[in-house]
Amino acid sequence: MRLTTAQALVAWLIAQHSETLDGREVPLFPAVFAIFGHGNVLGLGTALEERRDVIPVWRGHTEQGMALAAVGLAKATHRRQVGVATSSVGPGPLNMVTAAGVAHANRLPLLLLPGDTFVGRAPDPVLQQVENFGDATATVNDAFRAVSRYFDRITRPEQLIATLPQVARVLTDPAEVGPATLALPQDVQAESYDFPAELFRPVVHPPRRTRPDRGELARAARALAAARRPLLVLGGGVRYSGAGRRAVEFAQRHGIPIAETTAGRTLVPHAHPLYAGPLGITGSASANVVAAEADLVLAVGTRLQDFTTASWTVFAPGAQLISINVAAFDAVKHGALAVVGDAGAALEDLAPQLIGWRVDRAWSARATAVRAEWDGYIDTLREPADGRPSYAQIVGAVNDLSEPADYVMTASGGLPGELVGGWRAVGGEPAMDVEYGFSCMGYELAGAWGAAMAHRRGLVTTLLGDGSYLMLNSELFSAAFAGHPLVAVVCDNDGYAVIARLQEGQGGNAFNNLYRQCRSNHATPPRVDFAAHARSMGCAVFTATDVAEFRTAYTEARAAALAESRPAVVVVRTQPAQWTETGAWWEVGVPEHLSGRAAYNEAKPRQVRYL
């Protein structure tokens, strides 16, 4: 088939299909997000236009934003579909590097197709080209190498034949999944070649179920059977395996208390008697209490990031760690007894080796007892009060007014702790995306656009602060223009309040976080009218000043988003200094002359580096 490099790439994208966790066949690449420039408009842009009836192309308004939308789409489909993002050369690719970092840190698939400078070099230096004085082959796209699972620069059309299977491998293999980058020099995009027709034959990529080694399973079973107070920790790998129900059944069979990580949130119904709560700094005091008492931790599908482990102070010294993970890289961390395999397959294979074993019922009941205390604390935080609402009150209202099929999101600042720790899930399909692997400000709006494309049941609600809104709001217009409904709750607390909390809580002086702490040449600095701005971006807009008004505004926003097929934004002024507290410790560098150093010196010796 005589095709240009770009035409061949698009034909291959169309031929790839995926199998969802419930067995439906869907396109592997359901959407392309594009901003065209001289580096990609005639090559890849022409090829996409020719097939626009088969593969949807959505216009973005920042390269970072549209690539983050692609990440949000992948998360909402539980990694079974992949968003594609393309830009011209120069600043466009560099803007997408942040999104690649988000996908890499969160183990999410993303395909990036940045334009690149001419292989022929005749017009060098081309517009937007950054020249490296010591390496003529280097371009800005080499910045993707650090944040890509797979990187290639296509300098000949026929190279696609060898590289595309590797791209598919990285995007669909649960052990290696992450961003793949194909840098496309604009002259090569337009070159033609006689490609083998077999390259474009339809292919289905079903979920891979790697079965664990029998020896590793046997060692894990012996360790579990010897434990008196085990804890089951469920991470994002359980979600992507579709193993949530299996994990809960495993816990029920053996009476093991359950905790969730941030990525594993909403896998367990909140009312389940074995549910201790979310783990870690942004989790719950209840799960942290159980973790501190456990003599064995069975961690499934998690890399045990520092917020989950309270910088490795949440577990008891001497506790045994068993890590089930499809990626050996993650399974062996922290001296764990590693079981390498798919979460669902591993729990299925582990079950026959534990027939008849059950922990003491008093330990099973521990989860219900401590979570009841946590629930009482959250209930107190949610109680209506005069004045500006707190984050906890906003989360509580959204929780109360959401439907079971809805999807809730956040990413940065103080809201992850409020959402992870305070949300009460009804169970079933995972219903939360808290991007806290990279904690990327601005993901809240861009990722919600992608999630709204993918989440066809229920409604997507994203919660964000004023700082995130100002950081990256352009894809709000993209979603409005495209006609994708979602609700964005903008909590205006006058600046970067959670960093002010960290700064002042450790004894630092208030500086450069809340607006009143920042330098300005104005006696009365201007304020942003978020409602007017969102309205100018094509959104339905509602405002609130207290909890009662917020509940009304959020209800109206939901109805407007669905009826009008566009984003609805609720703007509410919130408290800058009221937080949900878990009592967990987080290691940050504290200078010895600050008052927080004493607490640091006290907590540091409790840090378990190797279980």
Side-chain angles (χ1 to χ4, degrees):
M1 298 178 66
R2 186 80 176 170
L3 300 170
T4 67
T5 303
Q7 287 174 323
L9 178 56
V10 170
W12 180 83
L13 293 175
I14 293 169
Q16 308 307 301
H17 294 80
S18 177
E19 185 180 295
T20 64
L21 294 173
D22 58 4
R24 292 179 295 110
E25 185 177 315
V26 293
L28 180 61
F29 303 103
V32 177
F33 300 86
I35 293 177
F36 293 127
H38 69 90
N40 66 343
V41 66
L42 295 178
L44 191 57
T46 297
L48 287 167
E49 187 277 330
E50 292 168 346
R51 307 299 302 274
R52 63 189 302 174
D53 58 328
V54 183
I55 185 166
V57 178
W58 300 99
R59 154 79 177 266
H61 292 86
T62 64
E63 292 87 357
Q64 178 183 333
M66 67 183 190
L68 288 174
V71 176
L73 183 153
K75 181 70 174 283
T77 62
H78 316 310
R79 300 198 307 205
R80 299 313 307 151
Q81 291 185 288
V82 183
V84 185
T86 179
S87 74
S88 185
V89 302
L94 288 180
N95 286 342
M96 297 196 296
V97 170
T98 298
V102 171
H104 198 288
N106 290 280
R107 313 292 202 266
L108 292 169
L110 169 66
L111 180 57
L112 297 168
L113 303 175
D116 212 330
T117 56
F118 285 77
V119 168
R121 301 188 188 175
D124 281 12
V126 69
L127 177 68
Q128 299 182 308
Q129 180 175 347
V130 174
E131 296 178 279
N132 187 300
F133 287 14
D135 183 355
T137 68
T139 76
V140 296
N141 286 334
D142 289 289
F144 285 107
R145 294 181 185 272
V147 286
S148 296
R149 292 285 190 193
Y150 184 82
F151 178 91
D152 196 2
R153 178 175 282 111
I154 304 301
T155 59
R156 291 290 308 150
E158 60 266 33
Q159 290 172 351
L160 286 181
I161 299 170
T163 204
L164 290 177
Q166 301 301 328
V167 170
R169 171 185 61 83
V170 168
L171 297 177
T172 62
D173 186 338
E176 298 190 43
V177 66
T181 302
L182 291 184
L184 301 172
Q186 60 174 296
D187 50 348
V188 178
Q189 289 182 46
E191 284 189 42
S192 295
Y193 181 78
D194 292 322
F195 288 93
E198 290 80 4
L199 184 65
F200 314 114
R201 183 175 298 157
V203 175
V204 178
H205 303 272
R208 180 171 293 171
R209 305 289 186 188
T210 303
R211 314 254 18 147
D213 176 81
R214 285 181 292 179
E216 291 179 349
L217 277 173
R219 288 188 288 273
R222 288 194 296 269
L224 266 170
R228 297 179 60 242
R229 299 182 306 280
L231 173 66
L232 178 62
V233 177
L234 305 182
V238 179
R239 168 183 181 160
Y240 302 133
S241 171
R245 293 185 187 278
R246 186 184 298 279
V248 172
E249 291 169 358
F250 180 89
Q252 288 176 174
R253 191 178 307 116
H254 305 295
I256 307 174
I258 312 169
E260 294 171 324
T261 72
T262 297
R265 200 63 177 87
T266 69
L267 286 167
V268 186
H270 182 79
H272 196 285
L274 290 172
Y275 184 53
L279 188 65
I281 298 163
T282 51
S284 62
S286 53
N288 295 344
V289 165
V290 175
E293 297 173 357
D295 61 0
L296 181 143
V297 177
L298 177 58
V300 186
T302 172
R303 61 195 181 105
L304 294 174
Q305 184 234 25
D306 69 332
F307 260 70
T308 297
T309 65
S311 295
W312 286 94
T313 61
V314 76
F315 301 127
Q320 171 75 63
L321 174 62
I322 301 173
S323 182
I324 296 175
N325 204 294
V326 73
F329 179 88
D330 293 314
V332 303
K333 289 176 177 175
H334 301 283
L337 194 165
V339 178
V340 179
D342 170 79
L347 291 173
E348 181 183 10
D349 291 352
L350 190 58
Q353 303 192 41
L354 295 169
I355 292 175
W357 171 73
R358 183 181 173 85
V359 304
D360 187 272
R361 295 187 183 277
W363 175 245
S364 301
R366 185 71 170 131
T368 299
V370 294
R371 200 195 70 242
E373 296 177 8
W374 178 255
D375 287 349
Y377 170 60
I378 295 297
D379 287 341
T380 300
L381 295 179
R382 288 184 173 187
E383 289 178 359
D386 295 334
R388 294 194 205 176
S390 67
Y391 277 2
Q393 290 168 331
I394 295 297
V395 168
V398 173
N399 201 169
D400 290 344
L401 297 170
S402 292
E403 299 292 335
D406 288 349
Y407 193 76
V408 65
M409 303 176 63
T410 193
S412 60
L415 280 163
E418 306 298 324
L419 191 60
V420 172
W423 192 263
R424 293 169 179 173
V426 296
E429 187 170 334
M432 183 181 291
D433 175 6
V434 176
E435 195 289 287
Y436 224 45
F438 218 51
S439 188
C440 179
M441 293 181 70
Y443 176 79
E444 297 95 334
L445 291 176
W449 179 30
M453 291 185 187
H455 200 73
R456 304 195 182 281
R457 296 190 309 112
L459 182 65
V460 173
T461 292
T462 185
L463 297 94
L464 67 155
D466 52 299
S468 280
Y469 186 96
L470 290 174
M471 188 77 71
L472 188 64
N473 52 58
S474 53
E475 300 332 304
L476 198 56
F477 173 68
S478 299
F481 182 87
H484 292 113
L486 60 95
V487 175
V489 177
V490 181
C491 299
D492 180 4
N493 60 12
D494 298 312
Y496 302 143
V498 76
I499 300 302
R501 172 197 186 193
L502 174 63
Q503 183 181 53
E504 297 176 64
Q506 298 297 326
N509 293 325
F511 178 64
N512 208 51
N513 286 306
L514 296 179
Y515 288 122
R516 66 175 183 271
Q517 305 164 354
C518 300
R519 182 173 182 170
S520 173
N521 290 329
H522 296 282
T524 304
R527 287 193 57 85
V528 176
D529 187 337
F530 293 101
H533 185 270
R535 191 173 292 111
S536 75
M537 303 275 269
C539 303
V541 177
F542 304 85
T543 60
T545 59
D546 57 28
V547 176
E549 286 185 4
F550 176 78
R551 294 178 71 93
T552 299
Y554 179 67
T555 300
E556 293 174 348
R558 291 176 58 89
L562 292 171
E564 301 170 22
S565 292
R566 61 171 173 157
V569 176
V570 181
V571 179
V572 55
R573 295 286 299 278
T574 54
Q575 294 285 351
Q578 293 184 15
W579 311 98
T580 300
E581 302 286 354
T582 65
W585 180 66
W586 184 35
E587 181 173 4
V588 293
V590 183
E592 63 179 15
H593 66 280
L594 295 185
S595 61
R597 183 69 184 200
Y600 176 92
N601 291 338
E602 180 183 351
K604 184 68 174 174
R606 301 199 309 267
Q607 195 171 48
V608 178
R609 292 295 305 278
Y610 208 81
L611 292 179

